[in-house]
Amino acid sequence: MERIYIDRQLCEACKGCMLACMAKHNGENIDTLDLLDTSNQSANLIEQSSQGEVAPIFCRHCDKPECVEACMSGALTKDKETGIVSLDQNKCAGCWMCVMSCSYGMINKDTNANVAFKCDLCKDREKSACIENCPTGAIELIEVGEGRA
Amino acid sequence: MVKERCTSADCRLCEFLDSKPELETSFNREPKQSVKCGFGKKGVCCRLCSNGPCRITPKSPRGVCGADADTIVARNFLRNVAAGAACYLHVVENTANNLREAGLGNYATELKGLEMLDELAELFDVEAEDVNEKAVQVAEKVLADLYKPRYKKMELVEKLAYSPRLKKWKELDIIPGGAKSEVFDALVKTSTNLSSDPVDMLMHVLNLGISTGLYGLHMTNLLNDVMLGEPEITQDKVGFKVVDEDYINIVVTGHQHTMIAHLQDALITEEATKMAQDVGAKGFKIVGSTCVGQDLQLRGAHYKDVFAGHAGNNYTSEALLATGGIDLVISEFNCTIPGLELVAEKYQVKMIAIDDVAKKTTAEMLKFDPAKAPEITDKLIKAAVESYQNRRSKIEIDIPKDHGYDDVVTGVSEKSLRKFLGGNYKALIDLIASGKIKGVAAVVGCSNLTAKGHDVFSVGLTKELIKRDILVLSAGCTTGGLENCGLVSPSAAKLAGDNLREVCEELGIPPVLNFGPCLSIGRVEEVAVELAKALDVDLPQLPAVLSAPQWLEEQALADGAFGLALGLPLHLALPPFVTGSEIIVDTLTKNLPEITGGQLIIDTEIESAADKLEEIILDRRSGLGL
Ligand code: SF4
Ligand code: SF4
Ligand code: SF4
Ligand code: SF4
């Protein structure tokens, strides 16, 4: 199965990945993306660590996902084969248990609806939008063996 | 809950900001912008053509067109400097034009600095006898230079520059042709698929530095002296305490002091005072903010009644409006930050722009024209009265009267300092020679929120320098910060090293000499020239250094280019957006000493920056046999 691998050293904090993610999620491309529209939401984040270093934060699609554990409605599931932790917004009850349980803060409230919102690794696309738009190669999909974190 | 915000060296300002949780200022926005784009920071993003934006990475070392990092960085940098030079040249152009119109009798304002007018007339070989005719001819000489084509050298450079420098500049072929044309061709040169030569572009940067320094800064000061009166050393109040809610208070943001020459005299006439009294105020005051406030403070001896005192620098302006005590903002140039509009709206402060280069979205446009000054003044006064009437009953006034100092020493210029020293610079040179003062450091320029926080680096560096017996000269928003943190008051002497402290206490001066607005960086550099002349050496031999720790904008880069052309070491706490090019970085930081004698020093830490500056000073001292 595949995971997003982050090389912090390569990240230039251009936020290109965030733009791509926003565009993907609202069906736009970056050129037409309205950056003043606060309902545009990105599943990934480029932050600064307390030491002042750039810290790209992406959903880890954890081996033992706390969010899935916490979800009572069955909206969050981990695919055994692909490893992807995905969210079915139709089943989401908006209880925010997952939001509170993720230690990386990678699942959040959807800005447009009363349901959760998270990275789905762009499973509907050939290549994840963020990776496609990263000019430095700081984020990549790598193959990891079964059971590796 | 206290909102996240960037910090300031000015603790009382921080407290004030935190006491207003509903207020959003630059201080709150800064943390949200703290993740920076690496390509932009390094200067390796190019958007000159439709093949772009191209960004340089290890996997893509050239743009589509073939431009490499050096070319892209050099083009971006020269464009920045050209824009900065353009800004200062706009100021000197308007200032000269206002003087010309005053001389022609079209601008109803009295010339307050006739001694300076005579000096300039003599320097420029103007033979007219009549004061007004003299003013016209002096102004026209300046304007004529600015408007020359690029292939004609500006004539006054020969008269304004220190001769060893002139020689150097001739050798390097960087004496500017007509200043505006030089800016124009900098844009041509850096456009798509024109110059790719980083070294040629850096030489153009130095060339623009010379016109910025000699004309944009130095000449503007002298023309301002003619129109508004020469600086005289005096003491004044600073900080939010200067705001008196009993008056109708006007804040002017910008750098073009001559544009308000008519207004500031009209505000204290009986007629205007009566208008203010009719609506329940005691009269009108101009509250100092940004560089025009520093300029008013500098000339405060001539503006005792109308000038309330200087409240603070660029990034203090939003908080200043949030005191509720300000009724009208007049914008005429930069450092009118866009965030001001949001605060003005919240506190119902009327905004009027009098130069369209500083037109704010929410401001009314009332274009300044010297010939219509009385009419414009009238409208501005009425707008201030109306705003006062509309807003005062609705807005809470909360002025931290304990913010600031009462005894800031101001009015220092190259001339007033000479006078203070007894007619020449010998006294200062003796102090330097004896080691009582190790050397001088000009800590100048802007304030930003990113070099450790608002005024944090400037204040920290200044404290380190004075502790080491290095006399600090300051100008620009840096000074605004130093003033509000107490370093420009005589009591700051106790923070200085023993030797400098003794000198300060004996003379009753602070260890930081306040030259006023950023335009006065030209005056500070003039002091360096005077010292060099007196010692009969060139500038790179002087125990003098320059630091613009918290440089903010393109103008500062153009200023800095002048410092480098003058042959001074220039420290910056944040690098300009050039670090993506080895050639540019090496030329500025390593090779420049061989070229102009100047040197760029980037150091992001206060102590090590002070160490480096001190080391240079000590080195120069031993070079002079001191
Ligand atoms: S949201 Fe958090 S817990 Fe859930 S898969 Fe992602 S990182 Fe793991
Ligand atoms: S993989 Fe898809 S959903 Fe996840 S951050 Fe990238 S673009 Fe967004
Ligand atoms: S696109 Fe890549 S380099 Fe840019 S911020 Fe995202 S992870 Fe970093
Ligand atoms: S000018 Fe060259 S480097 Fe710049 S955007 Fe065009 S192709 Fe790219």
Side-chain angles (χ1 to χ4, degrees), chain A residues 1-116:
Chain A
M1 70 182 119
E2 292 179 320
R3 286 287 167 76
I4 284 193
Y5 172 76
I6 306 165
D7 187 346
R8 284 167 72 153
Q9 300 302 321
L10 285 181
C11 180
E12 291 287 8
C14 66
K15 304 187 189 178
C17 49
M18 293 174 68
L19 298 183
C21 187
M22 282 186 247
K24 181 232 144 150
H25 282 286
N26 79 354
E28 300 255 0
N29 60 46
I30 290 177
D31 287 340
T32 56
L33 185 69
D34 181 359
L35 287 175
L36 298 178
D37 183 352
T38 51
S39 73
N40 279 325
Q41 191 170 15
S42 167
N44 52 33
L45 266 181
I46 301 299
E47 293 277 26
Q48 205 167 32
S49 73
S50 50
Q51 287 86 42
E53 287 157 354
V54 177
I57 309 174
F58 288 77
C59 171
R60 302 178 170 221
H61 298 273
C62 313
D63 272 343
K64 294 198 177 66
E66 308 274 4
C67 57
V68 176
E69 289 270 347
C71 182
M72 307 302 282
S73 65
L76 279 162
T77 49
K78 180 166 175 81
D79 188 314
K80 287 236 161 54
E81 260 222 272
T82 60
I84 298 177
V85 173
S86 41
L87 166 73
D88 182 347
Q89 287 194 329
N90 293 320
K91 288 192 187 157
C92 176
C95 67
W96 318 131
M97 292 308 286
C98 58
V99 175
M100 285 184 280
S101 67
C102 173
S103 20
Y104 308 99
M106 287 324 288
I107 183 158
N108 285 294
K109 186 183 170 314
D110 193 306
T111 46
N112 295 304
N114 210 35
V115 291

Side-chain angles (χ1 to χ4, degrees), chain B residues 380-409:
Chain B
L380 290 171
I381 290 179
K382 283 190 179 132
V385 170
E386 198 188 321
S387 171
Y388 175 91
Q389 266 185 305
N390 287 342
R391 60 186 293 283
R392 284 298 181 109
S393 59
K394 300 177 207 145
I395 298 295
E396 187 208 349
I397 305 265
D398 173 20
I399 303 164
K401 301 269 179 166
D402 56 345
H403 177 253
Y405 289 81
D406 292 314
D407 55 356
V408 155
V409 175

